[in-house]
Amino acid sequence: MEALLETSGLSVGYGKHVLFKDLDLKVNSGELICFMGPNGSGKSSLLRTLAGIQKAISGEVSYNQSHERSKFLSVVLTDRIGNPGLTAEEVVAAGRIPFQDWTRKLSAEDISIVNDCMKLTGCSGLASTKMEWLSDGQRQLVMLARALAQSPKVLLLDEPTAHLDLNNRVEVMNLLRSLCRSKGLSVMVCTHELDLALQTADCIWLSGEDDQLITGVPEDLVLNGAVDRIFKLKGFTLKTGKLEHQISELQSVSVEGSGFGLLWTKNALERKGYRIAETSNNHIAVVTDGENISWSIHHQTCHSIRELLAILQE
Amino acid sequence: MPLITPPRRLPVGLIGSILLPVLFLFSLMAGTVSIPAAEVLNILVGKETSDPVWQNIILDLRLPKALTAALCGAGLAVGGVLTQSLFRNPLNGPDVIGLTSGAGLGVALMVSTGIAGSGALSLTSSAFAGSSLTFLLISRIARSFSANSLLIAGIMFSAFASSIITVLQFYSGAEELQRYTLWTMGNISSTTWEDIPWLAGSVFAGIFLALYSSKGLDAYDLSTGYAESLGIQTSRLRRSVLISAALLTGSITAFCGPITFVGIAGPHLVRVLSGGNTHIRLIPYSALAGSILVLTCDLLSSLPGPGRFLPLNAVTALLGAPVVIWIIYRSYQKP
């Protein structure tokens, strides 16, 4: 595989404050990397250094490309937009700056790229809206469109989904993955979304333990406990992918049933601290009848989990 | 396809380039002696006129004054665009980097010590010396600090300069005080044909340099980080923008005194009316708007009647402030 970005002996930080030391990283073409780590572990600094915005303390970043950096590498940063009076379209069009001369005249190709990128991220409808009128989530979609308009081969994103709703989050990650697959882009995303990262990334970078990065395939990092160690996950067993509830020994229940009804009933019971046993005095039967679900307990029938929990608490 | 054309867009460039020559002609016609438009045009192209005195009035008095007004307005408005974009603050005028105060300090020092004689040229050179020294100081600061600390340095320097001026005023005589005060009111009528090439040269050089930085400023509008990622060297951009703003403000303040408000009002009018933020258009449009503003203000300053003129600075704000407030009020309502 072709490495689009490589570092050798890269140290990142500010003056005497070294965040990462002697990193030898490789970002391959067509690879989606999720970069995770606790707040303040230096994710943004490393991203800015890889993008050439921040000076490295030592070592170097090489790109394996013949033209200027701005023509193949673009970023989504967490920076606030300096001029909030810019329209979304003007911001996306700014992505074409490296390809424009000093008159900033947009060619027909520039215009179609700008339009395509806005369509791709679903923000075409915002074209003539000023940035100050957009919500944080909409703003992030615009900034993503801007980064794409720069026709990058390497795309570095700093928490691009932080303000997005669940749908958009999944859509943005899917978009990034499909760009990797179809166009051979290299994408590196700093993110706090563990679940999305585990599901979409080809490779995960973990920071926070020392001045090194732990890198690997997501599943490996889960199985060897690296993820648990870094995030010091409390009450969450990553291997099963579920929150571990503190079980009180006070009351046990037994549940019978099937399908989603059973799944969510167990979820509610565990959350409330009941221990689920094979047999118990509190026996719940989940009855699924087409769309309708009912619960029977102590010869009573409930039509919602709320009613069920109320009876159990008596 | 909707593109790069925000709603509510006026052809500002077109309107400006019609309005500017018209106002220019008006300012040559109007005055204590009014001269018909046809005669003015005849004199300008060098034809015979019915009254040779008119020729003197136009060529020796009104033409240099009108040219000064247009150049001043253009330069100050472009200076305003530059500083507003550089400091990312729409309330900035070109005087925030402290050059105007520096020029003021130069004039105050020279006047109160009696070094500057009575001629206009000595005031000009005092002001120019003041603003140049300030520029050297400020650019030394700019080399090692961010835009924000530069702004604070500029404001601090202004405060420092104005307190020195106050001390100087306290110890100076009535005549010196009057000369300094007259200078602070802004004056575009004392420039002669000898001054015009200097003024025009520095204003055109400043605007040209600004246009050269315009692509970089578009990227800088996003953020410093984004600008760097778009291939703009922000430290170099800052330096050339600073030089251009200093050239414009320094030279205009030297020749005409501190003219306030145009630097804020001009760019604002253009931003709101044109709805665009691209500097390659913003800069020339603002230059047009600034020229129009100063020419209008100059026409209005002669309203009190023959032989009496309102100070230019009184008129710029008197006319400009309500207009700007109204326009901003209209435009900042959420669509």
Side-chain angles (χ1 to χ4, degrees):
Chain A
M1 255 193 295
E2 187 200 359
L4 287 180
L5 190 157
E6 251 176 294
T7 72
S8 56
L10 183 71
S11 295
V12 174
Y14 302 89
K16 280 183 183 164
H17 185 54
V18 180
L19 292 158
F20 296 105
K21 212 175 167 185
D22 286 334
L23 296 181
D24 294 313
L25 297 167
K26 215 177 224 189
V27 181
N28 289 321
S29 158
E31 197 174 43
L32 176 66
I33 295 171
C34 282
F35 185 6
M36 311 196 57
N39 295 128
S41 62
K43 295 191 297 296
S44 299
S45 303
L46 178 55
L47 182 142
R48 295 171 80 91
T49 311
L50 293 181
I53 300 170
Q54 186 179 320
K55 263 195 188 143
I57 293 180
S58 63
E60 60 178 304
V61 184
S62 54
Y63 302 105
N64 197 12
Q65 293 279 329
S66 50
H67 29 254
E68 305 136 68
R69 194 184 57 224
S70 55
K71 290 187 178 170
F72 63 83
L73 184 144
S74 72
V75 288
V76 172
L77 302 170
T78 49
D79 291 10
R80 250 186 36 170
I81 292 301
N83 177 0
L86 292 171
T87 63
E89 198 173 48
E90 284 177 312
V91 170
V92 179
R96 300 305 297 162
I97 285 180
F99 306 92
Q100 290 178 296
D101 62 12
W102 65 280
T103 62
R104 290 233 41 219
K105 196 165 164 44
L106 288 155
S107 68
E109 190 201 357
D110 290 330
I111 291 177
S112 79
I113 289 174
V114 168
N115 281 328
D116 289 349
C117 293
M118 296 192 80
K119 217 175 284 167
L120 213 54
T121 57
C123 55
S124 302
L126 308 173
S128 55
T129 314
K130 287 181 180 182
M131 291 302 274
E132 60 190 332
W133 301 133
L134 297 180
S135 75
D136 287 338
Q138 291 173 319
R139 229 170 275 166
Q140 278 191 317
L141 293 176
V142 172
M143 294 325 288
L144 179 62
R146 189 213 66 86
L148 294 177
Q150 213 173 327
S151 317
K153 293 292 283 171
V154 182
L155 186 54
L156 308 174
L157 309 102
D158 198 351
E159 300 195 34
T161 57
H163 300 285
L164 298 181
D165 62 40
L166 195 57
N167 255 338
N168 274 327
R169 250 173 235 207
V170 175
E171 240 160 68
V172 163
M173 289 306 279
N174 282 343
L175 172 65
L176 293 177
R177 192 162 59 167
S178 79
L179 287 171
C180 288
R181 299 286 182 275
S182 63
K183 295 187 177 168
L185 254 66
S186 296
V187 179
M188 195 273 267
V189 193
C190 294
T191 179
H192 288 295
E193 326 249 358
L194 190 58
D195 45 345
L196 269 179
L198 292 178
Q199 282 166 35
T200 38
D202 296 307
C203 176
I204 286 192
W205 293 356
L206 281 175
S207 65
E209 210 164 33
D210 46 25
D211 55 12
Q212 292 299 307
L213 278 186
I214 304 168
T215 63
V217 172
E219 292 76 12
D220 279 341
L221 297 183
V222 170
L223 291 173
N224 70 21
V227 176
D228 285 287
R229 218 164 56 236
I230 297 283
F231 290 102
K232 300 181 186 72
L233 297 167
K234 295 187 179 85
F236 185 86
T237 20
L238 194 63
K239 286 173 195 174
T240 62
K242 286 187 84 176
L243 267 175
E244 202 170 76
H245 295 289
Q246 292 186 338
I247 293 170
S248 67
E249 294 298 322
L250 289 174
Q251 239 181 334
S252 68
V253 287
S254 55
V255 197
E256 66 164 293
S258 63
F260 291 118
L262 178 66
L263 191 75
W264 288 103
T265 310
K266 275 186 174 172
N267 195 64
L269 293 169
E270 280 172 355
R271 175 164 49 82
K272 283 290 177 189
Y274 295 103
R275 185 163 58 86
I276 295 176
E278 287 291 309
T279 53
S280 159
N281 292 338
N282 299 316
H283 184 74
I284 301 168
V286 184
V287 184
T288 312
D289 174 25
E291 287 289 296
N292 296 317
I293 301 174
S294 58
W295 293 262
S296 73
I297 179 171
H298 304 320
H299 309 296
Q300 284 173 284
T301 303
C302 318
H303 297 282
S304 69
I305 291 182
R306 174 191 249 170
E307 284 176 39
L308 176 70
L309 293 175
I311 289 174
L312 274 174
Q313 264 167 13
E314 275 170 15
Chain B
M1 261 306 123
L3 206 97
I4 329 294
T5 39
R8 194 157 28 123
R9 189 190 181 92
L10 277 179
V12 173
L14 185 69
I15 297 174
S17 22
I18 295 170
L19 214 52
L20 181 60
V22 172
L23 274 168
F24 196 84
L25 186 62
F26 261 126
S27 72
L28 293 182
M29 289 157 60
T32 322
V33 181
S34 30
I35 304 173
E39 293 292 336
V40 172
L41 290 174
N42 272 343
I43 293 166
L44 285 183
V45 296
K47 280 189 196 159
E48 284 290 306
T49 50
S50 42
D51 192 341
V53 179
W54 286 357
Q55 193 168 346
N56 290 343
I57 291 176
I58 295 285
L59 293 182
D60 295 341
L61 296 173
R62 291 188 191 169
L63 193 55
K65 189 181 170 194
L67 280 173
T68 308
L71 287 168
C72 262
L76 290 172
V78 172
V81 173
L82 294 176
T83 40
Q84 285 160 17
S85 293
L86 185 65
F87 298 113
R88 303 204 173 97
N89 184 345
L91 295 178
N92 279 352
D95 43 348
V96 285
I97 39 179
L99 293 180
T100 316
S101 324
L105 183 58
V107 170
L109 272 172
M110 297 302 187
V111 168
S112 63
T113 52
I115 294 172
S118 51
L121 191 65
S122 61
L123 279 188
T124 303
S125 41
S126 326
F128 199 74
S131 57
S132 306
L133 285 174
T134 316
F135 173 70
L136 289 179
L137 182 79
I138 295 288
S139 58
R140 180 73 197 81
I141 295 171
R143 212 180 303 161
S144 37
F145 296 99
S146 68
N148 251 342
S149 41
L150 181 61
L151 181 60
I152 294 168
I155 292 170
M156 286 301 121
F157 181 80
S158 300
F160 180 75
S162 59
S163 39
I164 292 188
I165 292 171
T166 312
V167 173
L168 287 174
Q169 284 175 331
F170 185 76
Y171 287 109
S172 50
E175 198 190 327
E176 283 99 40
L177 205 59
Q178 196 199 14
R179 286 187 65 203
Y180 176 76
T181 313
L182 280 177
W183 180 82
T184 61
M185 286 177 180
N187 176 17
I188 53 169
S189 52
S190 61
T191 39
T192 61
W193 277 114
E194 279 143 43
D195 301 333
I196 297 282
W198 292 101
L199 183 61
S202 31
V203 167
F204 279 116
I207 293 179
F208 191 76
L209 192 56
L211 286 172
Y212 173 76
S213 316
S214 65
K215 192 170 107 167
L217 284 171
D218 285 348
Y220 197 77
D221 256 1
L222 297 179
S223 81
T224 313
Y226 280 123
E228 289 277 350
S229 86
L230 286 165
I232 306 297
Q233 282 178 294
T234 49
S235 56
R236 251 175 65 180
L237 176 75
R238 265 207 294 270
R239 195 160 55 230
S240 68
V241 167
L242 201 60
I243 289 176
S244 143
L247 197 59
L248 292 168
T249 335
S251 59
I252 291 168
T253 312
F255 285 109
C256 313
I259 296 176
T260 53
F261 208 76
V262 180
I264 300 174
H268 262 298
L269 283 171
V270 173
R271 273 182 211 269
V272 170
L273 294 178
S274 78
N277 290 289
T278 316
H279 284 83
I280 194 71
R281 283 185 281 279
L282 202 51
I283 289 168
Y285 292 175
S286 296
L288 278 177
S291 296
I292 290 170
L293 274 176
V294 176
L295 279 171
T296 313
C297 290
D298 181 48
L299 278 172
L300 292 177
S301 72
S302 55
L303 277 185
R308 294 170 154 269
F309 292 97
L310 288 173
L312 189 62
N313 273 337
V315 186
T316 50
L318 210 59
L319 173 81
V323 174
V324 169
I325 290 172
W326 174 72
I327 285 170
I328 288 173
Y329 173 77
R330 287 276 313 269
S331 75
Y332 281 70
Q333 285 168 324
K334 202 167 176 169

